[in-house]
Amino acid sequence: MKKLLLLCFLTITANSFAQMAKSNLPKPGVISGKVVDDKTKEPLPYVNIVVRDAAKKILTGGITDDNGKFKIKDVPEGKSIVEVQFIGYETFSREITITNKSRNLRLGTIPLKEASGVLDEVVVRAETSTVVQKVDRKVINIGKDLGTSGTAADIMLAVPSVNVDTQTGNISLRGNQNVQVMIDGKLSNIPTAQLLRQLPANSIKQIELITNPSAKYNPEGLSGFINIILKKNTNLGFNGNLNAGYSYQREPKFTSSIDGNYRNGKFNLYGTYSNNLSRNSNIGNISQVAANSSQSLDILDDRDSHLFKVGLDFYLNEKNTLSVFTNQNLFNGDNRVNTGLVFRNAPINNQDQVINSISDNTSSQYNFNYKLDFDKQGHNIELEVDHNAFNNDINTINTFTGNNVRPNFNEFTDTNRDRTTINLDYVNPLSKGAKLELGLQARLFQSVIGYNSDFRNQNAAGQYIPTRTSFDYSRDIYSAYFTYGKQLKKWGYQFGLRAETVTVDAFAVNFDLNANTSTPVNFENDYVQVYPSGFLTYRPSDKNSFQLNYSRRVDRPGVGQVNPIPQFNTPLVSQFGNQELRPQFTNSFEANYTRKLKKGTFTGGIFYRLIQDEINTAVFVDRSDLGSGRIILTSDNFDNTSAFGFELSSNYRATKWWSLNASFDLFSQVRKGFGETLDPTLTNPTETDIKTVVTQVDNVAWNFRVFNNFRVSKKLTFTAFALYRGRERGLQFEVEPIYFLNLGMRYNFIQNGTFAFNVNDVLNTQRISVTAEQPFLQTAQFSPEFRIVSAQITYRFGGGKFRAKSRKRRKNDEKSGGGFF
């Protein structure tokens, strides 16, 4: 009995000491409160609450809910500093103490005052576009100076390292047209040239130049990809923007847009409508020197486009967000080309042709996104499904007049494309400064093209026969990736790997309608590839940053490059695709340096690309009509080649009212091509007279851009933009230098209204002059509408001013430095 009592006594004593020891351990506390606007007393949702220690190190934190309330757990015992931070408001700071007797602190109602100084700074920065150099991309934040340019194609002229072909609308990055263009991180079935001409400039928030993406991203595009991020209003209440613009040189052009949103806490409903109604004129002349012949062209392109977007963000709770949206595009085009051929040595062969192409296309995009945030900050998983359907009908009427001409014929082309992309992304910050990303992706693409021609080919008897061709093309890509990155004080690194399996099936059928026969052509190309990437950063100080990166990329042939159906026909040129075209692969190396200056920034970079199985143009003489001088363009694979270049960009704020922003880029690439030549002076040429030539061109091209902002007052600003593009050599032609000066002004005539006026090519210097040597010596001059005068008015409406949570875009969140662009 005594032993039992002694045992109980010892047990109770031990438990008491244990409880005393446990009670002496520090316990976390809880703080709570409510944040409101100091003037309106309205609650502020999604305000940042940050708890720091005496050394300003972040200990914990959270955000306010829809009613402005917050409750932060796990606040360490002892003294801490609570900061309440929200854009456009002064930061509220208060010291607190968590003790054994006071573990639940109620901070009550915290009023936030508007920070007029901060708001003024935001307005000033919004006037001027800014550039931010990140680890794997350059981000251009579009301000009012570029936002009043007209369309996305106009903005691209001012973006470093980007060139836009004013004839075709094709875009190139670092001298290469193998670049992917995305909208909000998603590829579109709409042709790039059409898409850039449709997007209003004022609808664009940012442009990202991702020249060396990590393994997380689609590896397509030899020179990377351009991501255009559109504005999305998430302010509380009802808000929106109205915009209208008119421009003119030889033909009128009208653009307008309206966007709005309604946000009430749990959901955000938004919509956008924009249009582009324009008539575009281009006048040109092509001369064949040896044949003493010329071709004149008078082109009128009438385009009507309408873009609609409707979306809904539903915030289930602080950890679950559901988003859906749809984009609808309607386009009607009427392109009319009047062309005349003059043979001065044989006037009897003179002829005229009218090419009238009427196109009607629609594009529909449907997107679903779900994001789940875990307890740890930055720890999340996201599912996105995106489907895009595109239909395009083109009816081309070819009419000939003169002697020895081809008979009139019609061409009908029907294109249907479907693209589905499924992304599953997982992000886990393993420790301080370290982050692991994993993901799966499926990209399913299918294209069906039908082509009918009344009279296309000539049989052995010299008779023209009708032709019908169909082309089915599918490409399915399944991929998985991982990336791991870590920041170590001044050093940081990231490495990753992406693996892809690709299945390509192409099937073309040519129908001879007279003989009632068909000729099928089948092509398959299945392969597995891996794409590594690596990034290294070094920041010795806040003013200096060094970056070195590498990635392997692929340029898969586009549908137009493999499509055997003619893309266009003129009396002198036709273009077809090559079904057996293989992808080209690139190993890309890049180094960048960023320096923050007292009055701006300086960024310099160099790049080197090693290209395998280069895709380029091949030129053939049209064997169906050797005496006509007609040529056929197609694509083919060539030997390995390389490209290199460097880029410089900087800003200098000379005075409070004048900021100067300039960029210079130079690139060099060895281009190889295959071509055939035929002496145009031969009277009755045969196939034995055709000669084969392998061409190699060392092309060195450079661009210089400078943008000036002259701020006369808070309401009035003048702009001046100048560009000089040096001579550029291609396989078939050499383009003379292009240079011009654009002037503009912006005036804030009311609090929420802006008027802009611009005059392009003020000095009337912009011309397109081309010389070609393959397969014949030719010269060409074109004069599109360069000297355009435009006016635009923008009005912002709505009373909401509190920002809601924004949906994640597929991009990295690396810290970066930048300045005025």
Side-chain angles (χ1 to χ4, degrees):
M1 186 65 180
K2 292 181 179 180
K3 292 182 178 180
L4 180 60
L5 292 174
L6 179 61
L7 180 61
C8 291
F9 174 77
L10 293 174
T11 303
I12 293 172
T13 303
N15 285 335
S16 299
F17 278 109
Q19 292 294 331
M20 291 174 61
K22 185 176 181 180
S23 65
N24 289 331
L25 294 174
K27 295 180 180 179
V30 178
I31 61 173
S32 59
K34 182 178 181 179
V35 182
V36 299
D37 181 273
D38 180 56
K39 293 182 179 179
T40 66
K41 306 304 179 184
E42 293 182 8
L44 299 180
Y46 310 113
V47 177
N48 292 317
I49 312 297
V50 181
V51 181
R52 302 178 184 270
D53 61 13
K56 298 296 183 178
K57 179 181 177 182
I58 296 178
L59 301 175
T60 184
I63 60 174
T64 59
D65 61 16
D66 295 334
N67 298 315
K69 296 181 179 180
F70 65 90
K71 186 175 183 180
I72 311 298
K73 301 179 181 179
D74 299 325
V75 180
E77 187 175 288
K79 292 185 178 182
S80 304
I81 300 174
V82 177
E83 292 183 354
V84 183
Q85 306 169 349
F86 199 45
I87 295 175
Y89 289 84
E90 295 179 357
T91 297
F92 172 89
S93 181
R94 176 176 173 179
E95 185 179 281
I96 62 171
T97 303
I98 300 294
T99 65
N100 289 331
K101 297 181 180 180
S102 179
R103 299 194 180 280
N104 293 296
L105 295 183
R106 294 182 175 87
L107 302 183
T109 299
I110 301 174
L112 289 189
K113 297 181 180 180
E114 289 190 6
S116 57
V118 175
L119 292 177
D120 290 343
E121 181 182 355
V122 172
V123 171
V124 171
R125 290 176 59 181
E127 292 285 335
T128 306
S129 298
T130 60
V131 62
V132 177
Q133 178 68 53
K134 294 195 173 184
V135 174
D136 66 341
R137 71 193 66 198
K138 185 175 291 184
V139 181
I140 294 91
N141 300 296
I142 305 302
K144 291 181 181 179
D145 49 359
L146 295 182
T148 55
S149 298
T151 66
D154 298 316
I155 286 183
M156 289 297 176
L157 290 173
V159 175
S161 305
V162 175
N163 286 335
V164 178
D165 189 326
T166 52
Q167 291 281 94
T168 63
N170 293 330
I171 194 168
S172 63
L173 178 60
R174 289 178 170 174
N176 196 291
Q177 291 189 3
N178 298 316
V179 55
Q180 296 280 330
V181 176
M182 302 190 300
I183 304 297
D184 290 329
K186 303 164 189 65
L187 293 173
S188 173
N189 280 330
I190 303 175
T192 299
Q194 176 184 325
L195 183 64
L196 294 179
R197 289 166 176 164
Q198 287 180 219
L199 284 176
N202 72 306
S203 69
I204 299 174
K205 177 184 177 182
Q206 293 177 328
I207 296 176
E208 296 181 331
L209 305 182
I210 310 177
T211 54
N212 233 12
S214 71
K216 178 178 180 178
Y217 299 96
N218 180 353
E220 292 188 38
L222 184 148
S223 55
F225 53 87
I226 299 172
N227 186 26
I228 300 174
I229 301 171
L230 303 180
K231 293 179 181 177
K232 177 183 174 182
N233 202 337
T234 55
N235 286 348
L236 285 176
F238 180 68
N239 307 271
N241 297 274
L242 282 169
N243 176 76
Y246 179 83
S247 57
Y248 186 85
Q249 184 185 359
R250 293 191 289 260
E251 298 290 341
K253 301 159 186 61
F254 175 78
T255 61
S256 66
S257 66
I258 180 173
D259 65 82
N261 82 292
Y262 178 73
R263 161 78 179 170
N264 73 345
K266 281 294 182 182
F267 68 87
N268 178 52
L269 177 65
Y270 59 92
T272 301
Y273 165 74
S274 63
N275 60 41
N276 188 327
L277 314 176
S278 64
R279 290 165 60 89
N280 305 273
S281 170
N282 192 357
I283 300 172
N285 183 78
I286 302 174
S287 299
Q288 289 190 7
V289 179
N292 196 22
S293 64
S294 63
Q295 178 183 2
S296 61
L297 297 102
D298 187 352
I299 305 170
L300 180 61
D301 189 11
D302 193 344
R303 299 190 293 258
D304 294 347
S305 66
H306 304 268
L307 286 170
F308 306 85
K309 182 176 183 177
V310 178
L312 174 67
D313 298 328
F314 185 40
Y315 306 101
L316 304 176
N317 52 46
E318 290 185 4
K319 296 183 179 180
N320 294 270
T321 304
L322 184 68
S323 302
V324 293
F325 73 80
T326 179
N327 274 317
Q328 303 293 324
N329 173 70
L330 306 176
F331 176 85
N332 293 287
D334 187 350
N335 183 278
R336 187 179 182 89
V337 181
N338 291 289
T339 178
L341 274 174
V342 176
F343 298 90
R344 295 178 179 83
N345 297 337
I348 194 173
N349 293 325
N350 292 353
Q351 58 180 273
D352 296 318
Q353 179 185 4
V354 178
I355 308 171
N356 190 18
S357 295
I358 300 173
S359 60
D360 182 5
N361 67 55
T362 60
S363 178
S364 301
Q365 180 185 13
Y366 304 93
N367 185 277
F368 168 86
N369 181 283
Y370 170 73
K371 181 181 178 182
L372 170 64
D373 289 307
F374 298 103
D375 291 335
K376 184 167 53 176
Q377 187 175 3
H379 188 197
N380 61 73
I381 189 169
E382 184 172 10
L383 172 67
E384 182 179 43
V385 180
D386 187 83
H387 178 72
N388 199 313
F390 175 77
N391 174 263
N392 187 27
D393 295 324
I394 302 178
N395 179 14
T396 303
I397 303 172
N398 296 272
T399 306
F400 301 85
T401 57
N403 298 318
N404 302 319
V405 298
R406 304 168 68 192
N408 300 338
F409 66 93
N410 298 334
E411 297 173 286
F412 308 92
T413 305
D414 180 28
T415 302
N416 292 278
R417 297 176 187 166
D418 288 290
R419 186 196 308 270
T420 301
T421 304
I422 304 173
N423 297 306
L424 181 64
D425 300 298
Y426 173 76
V427 181
N428 188 355
L430 301 176
S431 61
K432 182 181 178 180
K435 183 168 66 174
L436 173 68
E437 296 180 282
L438 304 171
L440 300 172
Q441 185 182 69
R443 281 173 286 153
L444 313 177
F445 177 78
Q446 184 173 17
S447 174
V448 179
I449 304 175
Y451 172 81
N452 291 273
S453 173
D454 291 344
F455 297 94
R456 177 64 191 90
N457 296 321
Q458 193 175 28
N459 60 17
Q463 299 172 331
Y464 286 90
I465 58 176
T467 300
R468 188 174 73 195
T469 305
S470 66
F471 178 59
D472 294 358
Y473 180 86
S474 66
R475 182 176 63 209
D476 296 339
I477 304 173
Y478 300 92
S479 56
Y481 74 87
F482 87 89
T483 66
Y484 175 78
K486 189 172 180 62
Q487 186 68 37
L488 302 169
K489 293 184 179 180
K490 295 181 179 181
W491 290 89
Y493 65 87
Q494 183 197 84
F495 60 87
L497 185 70
R498 187 184 188 94
E500 290 190 345
T501 174
V502 183
T503 302
V504 176
D505 289 313
F507 183 73
V509 180
N510 295 314
F511 298 92
D512 186 333
L513 302 183
N514 281 358
N516 197 25
T517 60
S518 61
T519 305
V521 179
N522 189 43
F523 175 73
E524 296 181 356
N525 187 20
D526 303 339
Y527 55 94
V528 177
Q529 290 286 338
V530 294
Y531 303 94
S533 67
F535 299 84
L536 181 66
T537 62
Y538 174 59
R539 302 180 197 278
S541 66
D542 292 338
K543 294 183 178 181
N544 297 278
S545 175
F546 298 87
Q547 302 163 358
L548 180 67
N549 52 65
Y550 160 79
S551 69
R552 185 172 187 258
R553 304 193 54 74
V554 62
D555 179 42
R556 300 184 179 94
V559 175
Q561 292 177 305
V562 296
N563 181 12
I565 296 173
Q567 296 182 30
F568 61 83
N569 281 305
T570 71
L572 294 180
V573 182
S574 295
Q575 184 167 355
F576 301 85
N578 177 7
Q579 280 184 269
E580 298 185 0
L581 200 61
R582 302 185 308 275
Q584 64 180 0
F585 296 93
T586 303
N587 289 289
S588 180
F589 303 85
E590 188 172 325
N592 294 293
Y593 168 69
T594 300
R595 169 74 177 182
K596 290 185 179 180
L597 307 173
K598 184 177 180 180
K599 295 185 178 182
T601 60
F602 169 82
T603 300
I606 58 175
F607 67 90
Y608 175 79
R609 294 194 297 253
L610 184 62
I611 306 166
Q612 176 186 353
D613 294 331
E614 181 194 16
I615 296 176
N616 227 316
T617 304
V619 182
F620 297 91
V621 175
D622 189 351
R623 286 165 168 75
S624 67
D625 193 0
L626 292 176
S628 66
R630 295 183 69 248
I631 60 174
I632 296 175
L633 302 178
T634 188
S635 299
D636 210 339
N637 291 103
F638 296 89
D639 295 334
N640 299 348
T641 186
S642 62
F644 66 90
F646 69 89
E647 301 162 332
L648 303 173
S649 62
S650 181
N651 80 282
Y652 180 73
R653 184 175 290 278
T655 65
K656 292 182 178 180
W657 51 269
W658 177 27
S659 61
L660 178 67
N661 316 283
S663 68
F664 176 85
D665 56 88
L666 180 146
F667 56 86
S668 174
Q669 180 176 350
V670 178
R671 296 178 176 176
K672 298 179 181 179
F674 171 88
E676 294 181 340
T677 62
L678 180 65
D679 187 349
T681 62
L682 296 176
T683 305
N684 295 305
T686 64
E687 290 192 19
T688 59
D689 297 317
I690 299 175
K691 298 180 180 180
T692 301
V693 178
V694 177
T695 306
Q696 177 173 311
V697 174
D698 296 328
N699 179 48
V700 178
W702 58 275
N703 301 275
F704 176 73
R705 301 171 173 88
V706 58
F707 203 103
N708 294 270
N709 271 280
F710 303 97
R711 188 177 176 84
V712 179
S713 66
K714 290 184 177 181
K715 293 185 176 182
L716 179 63
T717 301
F718 290 98
T719 61
F721 172 69
L723 179 144
Y724 187 95
R725 182 178 301 164
R727 180 179 284 104
E728 184 173 358
R729 295 186 63 192
L731 290 172
Q732 284 76 44
F733 51 82
E734 180 175 300
V735 182
E736 295 298 313
I738 296 174
Y739 49 94
F740 58 85
L741 172 66
N742 298 341
L743 299 178
M745 60 83 71
R746 295 187 313 278
Y747 181 69
N748 300 322
F749 60 96
I750 56 177
Q751 182 176 0
N752 294 322
T754 302
F755 172 76
F757 182 79
N758 296 282
V759 180
N760 293 346
D761 192 21
V762 174
L763 304 179
N764 197 25
T765 57
Q766 193 169 0
R767 298 286 187 276
I768 297 177
S769 182
V770 179
T771 301
E773 296 182 357
Q774 299 289 342
F776 318 104
L777 179 60
Q778 302 177 81
T779 60
Q781 292 82 33
F782 287 92
S783 298
E785 293 177 275
F786 288 134
R787 203 175 192 184
I788 292 178
V789 178
S790 62
Q792 181 175 310
I793 188 169
T794 302
Y795 178 73
R796 299 170 297 281
F797 58 87
K801 61 180 178 181
F802 310 131
R803 300 296 295 178
K805 288 190 298 185
S806 61
R807 171 179 166 183
K808 171 197 167 188
R809 287 182 291 107
R810 291 177 55 80
K811 71 182 189 70
N812 291 342
D813 296 320
E814 294 88 0
K815 294 181 180 179
S816 56
F820 289 96
F821 166 57

